Amino acid sequence: MEIFRNSRFRLTLVYSSIMCIFLIALIFVVRITMDWSMSSEQMRELSDAADGVAEAQAYQIQHPNAVIDENRYYRNTNDRLFFYIFDEWGQLVSFVRASFKVEPFILEWMNPEKIPSGEIKTFRHPTESGQMRSIMMVSKKIRIADTEQTIYVGKDVTAMRSGLQKATYALIVLGVLALIIATVIGHIMAGRAIIPMKEAYEKQKQFAADASHELRTPLAVVMASADLLLADKSIQNPLLREVIEDLKGEVKKMTKLVSDLLTVARSDNNALKVKIQKIDLGKILEQNIRMMTPLAEKKNIQLIGTELRKVIIQGDEQKIKQLVLILVDNAIKYTKSGGKVFVTIESSDEERVIFSVQDSGIGIAKEDQEKIFERFYRVDKARSREMGGNGLGLSIATEILRLHEGKISVKSELGVGTKFTVELKTTLPIGEK
């Protein structure tokens, strides 16, 4: 059934949304952790290299004639580490050059404003091919006697950044695959979770159908008995006759409820049949207005038909009459004394016809407008009981329209009124279905 398909879809959607949020958060955390881990390691290596170069340079200043083993203080194991040493006048003293591809950019960054002493900075710059190069650099000052020098040590970390980027893409792909698998599993689990509910619903549906059948006969007997008592001239007590009238009124309500329940049960079991034939929609609307006018006048409501021209459509006459009756009855029921109800054929052509029922009643809040077509849903439950509503009318109307391949929509504003618009096809396959 549609309700279970929708429920299963919503459960799957919720589960997938939760998994999606979880996977996004996981990928984000892993990405940040990897970035921190790799960056901190590179910073430590760079800082150690700067200390080694500074130590070697200080020794060189103090012992100009000594031979320095650079490998003891500075290991360029992958040819990505480099350093430049400048004196206090900006003259280059010593260096291990960076790659010729990045050296022009590096020299621009070697000043105290861009790289304060002791701080590690990362710079990014596009190459001619459009690739972004990432350079990590640190500066360090050394003072020996009257000599001051500045050391800039750096490392090309482009490969590390590129690897991190590829790892991130791999995580995203794995995350998408995991989400797809989780969605499939969630759909299967949602289907299994709905099975007990579906079985319970089937039992409830069968009970409603059986109860409706069983209640029709005793209600008919009670109604007939009430009519006989009212026809008995020997009963003259006004209070007793009023009690019988009240009894008859309640039996009518029960009979309508049982009839509606039976209609719903038949629709659930796909036993609700329609006999498609040519009918005049304008005539059906006029008949309904004539039938409902006494009820409207009793509440001091004007029931007005406009543009009720002859429009031939193909449909089940009794079901279309029931549909119109539900809409007009609701409009009168929820319109206050002195109001108006309009029944209008708005447009018609060879393919479809549109008619509406509009009232000047209490209106429906926006948050309730999508729910009013659900079974047993009543916006104001207390008021609905007073007015005889059972919350099945619009649900039955929706089922009738489904059988006729039609549509219904609602526009409403609290305190202003409600308008139901119905669209019906003018042609359907003739016969019973």
Side-chain angles (χ1 to χ4, degrees):
M1 286 186 63
E2 190 68 26
I3 184 172
F4 292 109
R5 284 195 295 270
N6 291 340
S7 298
R8 187 176 185 181
F9 172 77
R10 284 195 293 267
L11 284 172
T12 305
L13 184 62
V14 170
Y15 179 75
S16 300
S17 300
I18 294 172
M19 286 300 299
C20 183
I21 294 170
F22 171 75
L23 287 172
I24 289 173
L26 181 63
I27 292 171
F28 177 77
V29 170
V30 171
R31 172 68 168 78
I32 295 297
T33 303
M34 289 172 60
D35 190 15
W36 170 81
S37 177
M38 297 176 73
S39 296
S40 61
E41 182 62 25
Q42 296 297 321
M43 289 178 180
R44 184 197 61 77
E45 183 181 355
L46 198 61
S47 181
D48 289 346
D51 290 340
V53 173
E55 183 180 345
Q57 188 62 20
Y59 185 84
Q60 182 70 45
I61 293 172
Q62 293 173 341
H63 306 85
N65 298 322
V67 178
I68 302 296
D69 182 8
E70 291 186 353
N71 288 329
R72 178 181 175 186
Y73 301 100
Y74 171 74
R75 289 183 173 84
N76 190 358
T77 57
N78 56 12
D79 293 330
R80 294 185 183 277
L81 277 169
F82 55 86
F83 71 85
Y84 295 81
I85 303 174
F86 296 89
D87 61 19
E88 53 191 317
W89 296 285
Q91 299 298 315
L92 185 62
V93 176
S94 179
F95 62 88
V96 170
R97 295 183 64 177
S99 167
F100 70 93
K101 294 181 180 179
V102 298
E103 189 175 53
F105 311 127
I106 292 171
L107 294 175
E108 293 178 6
W109 299 328
M110 290 182 184
N111 64 73
E113 293 181 358
K114 292 186 177 180
I115 310 178
S117 179
E119 291 188 17
I120 298 176
K121 297 286 187 179
T122 301
F123 300 93
R124 303 191 72 192
H125 196 283
T127 62
E128 293 180 358
S129 62
Q131 180 186 6
M132 294 297 296
R133 281 195 173 274
S134 298
I135 308 296
M136 189 177 289
M137 295 181 65
V138 62
S139 71
K140 194 175 184 68
K141 289 187 179 295
I142 57 173
R143 292 183 179 87
I144 303 295
D146 295 332
T147 303
E148 179 178 304
Q149 294 183 351
T150 303
I151 301 171
Y152 293 95
V153 180
K155 183 178 182 180
D156 188 348
V157 293
T158 304
M160 182 200 73
R161 291 289 176 183
S162 178
L164 183 61
Q165 195 72 22
K166 290 179 181 178
T168 303
Y169 291 149
L171 282 173
I172 292 173
V173 171
L174 291 174
V176 171
L177 291 175
L179 181 60
I180 293 172
I181 295 171
T183 301
V184 173
I185 294 173
H187 187 69
I188 295 171
M189 295 302 292
R192 292 181 179 178
I194 284 175
I195 290 175
M197 293 186 286
K198 192 173 182 180
E199 292 175 350
Y201 182 78
E202 292 293 335
K203 291 178 181 179
Q204 181 186 16
K205 194 169 61 175
Q206 188 61 45
F207 171 77
D210 294 343
S212 300
H213 279 291
E214 295 299 325
L215 286 172
R216 294 178 75 183
T217 301
L219 285 173
V221 172
V222 174
M223 178 65 76
S225 301
D227 287 335
L228 286 174
L229 289 172
L230 287 174
D232 190 347
K233 295 181 180 179
S234 64
I235 301 177
Q236 298 295 327
N237 188 319
L239 178 60
L240 183 56
R241 296 188 71 84
E242 185 178 347
V243 169
I244 296 172
E245 287 286 356
D246 292 341
L247 174 64
K248 188 175 178 181
E250 291 302 318
V251 171
K252 283 182 178 179
K253 290 181 183 178
M254 283 292 296
T255 302
K256 184 178 184 305
L257 175 59
V258 168
S259 177
D260 289 346
L261 284 172
L262 188 58
T263 300
V264 169
R266 285 174 175 171
S267 68
D268 285 340
N269 293 320
N270 295 319
L272 195 61
K273 302 296 182 180
V274 289
K275 184 178 181 180
I276 305 298
Q277 58 187 350
K278 289 185 177 181
I279 56 176
D280 184 351
L281 179 62
K283 184 178 180 181
I284 290 176
L285 294 176
E286 288 176 349
Q287 289 175 348
N288 186 272
I289 289 173
R290 286 197 301 270
M291 182 177 65
M292 299 298 288
T293 293
L295 178 61
E297 290 178 346
K298 188 176 180 181
K299 291 187 64 177
N300 191 27
I301 295 171
Q302 294 184 53
L303 182 55
I304 304 168
T306 58
E307 301 293 331
L308 300 184
R309 57 190 178 275
K310 183 177 181 179
V311 178
I312 302 298
I313 66 170
Q314 292 175 353
D316 186 303
E317 184 174 5
Q318 296 304 318
K319 294 294 187 292
I320 296 298
K321 284 182 178 180
Q322 185 180 9
L323 167 67
V324 176
L325 178 63
I326 289 170
L327 297 178
V328 175
D329 182 56
N330 276 356
I332 294 173
K333 191 180 298 179
Y334 295 105
T335 299
K336 295 181 180 179
S337 177
K340 296 180 180 180
V341 174
F342 296 92
V343 181
T344 308
I345 294 180
E346 298 193 349
S347 65
S348 62
D349 53 35
E350 294 181 355
E351 295 183 356
R352 64 177 186 170
V353 59
I354 297 175
F355 74 91
S356 64
V357 178
Q358 183 173 2
D359 62 55
S360 56
I362 59 178
I364 305 169
K366 287 185 178 180
E367 60 269 20
D368 293 315
Q369 290 178 19
E370 294 183 359
K371 302 176 183 177
I372 57 174
F373 299 101
E374 297 176 5
R375 294 176 186 176
F376 300 106
Y377 186 83
R378 292 175 291 189
V379 177
D380 188 338
K381 294 179 174 56
R383 185 175 296 181
S384 296
R385 291 191 189 97
E386 293 174 3
M387 297 178 178
N390 54 37
L392 286 173
L394 290 176
S395 175
I396 293 172
T398 304
E399 181 63 22
I400 292 172
L401 285 168
R402 185 188 68 80
L403 293 170
H404 286 80
E405 301 178 20
K407 301 176 183 176
I408 187 170
S409 60
V410 59
K411 289 183 179 179
S412 185
E413 186 176 346
L414 287 174
V416 177
T418 303
K419 180 180 180 180
F420 286 95
T421 303
V422 175
E423 179 182 329
L424 288 168
K425 288 187 175 181
T426 55
T427 56
L428 289 170
I430 299 293
E432 185 173 303
K433 66 173 184 176

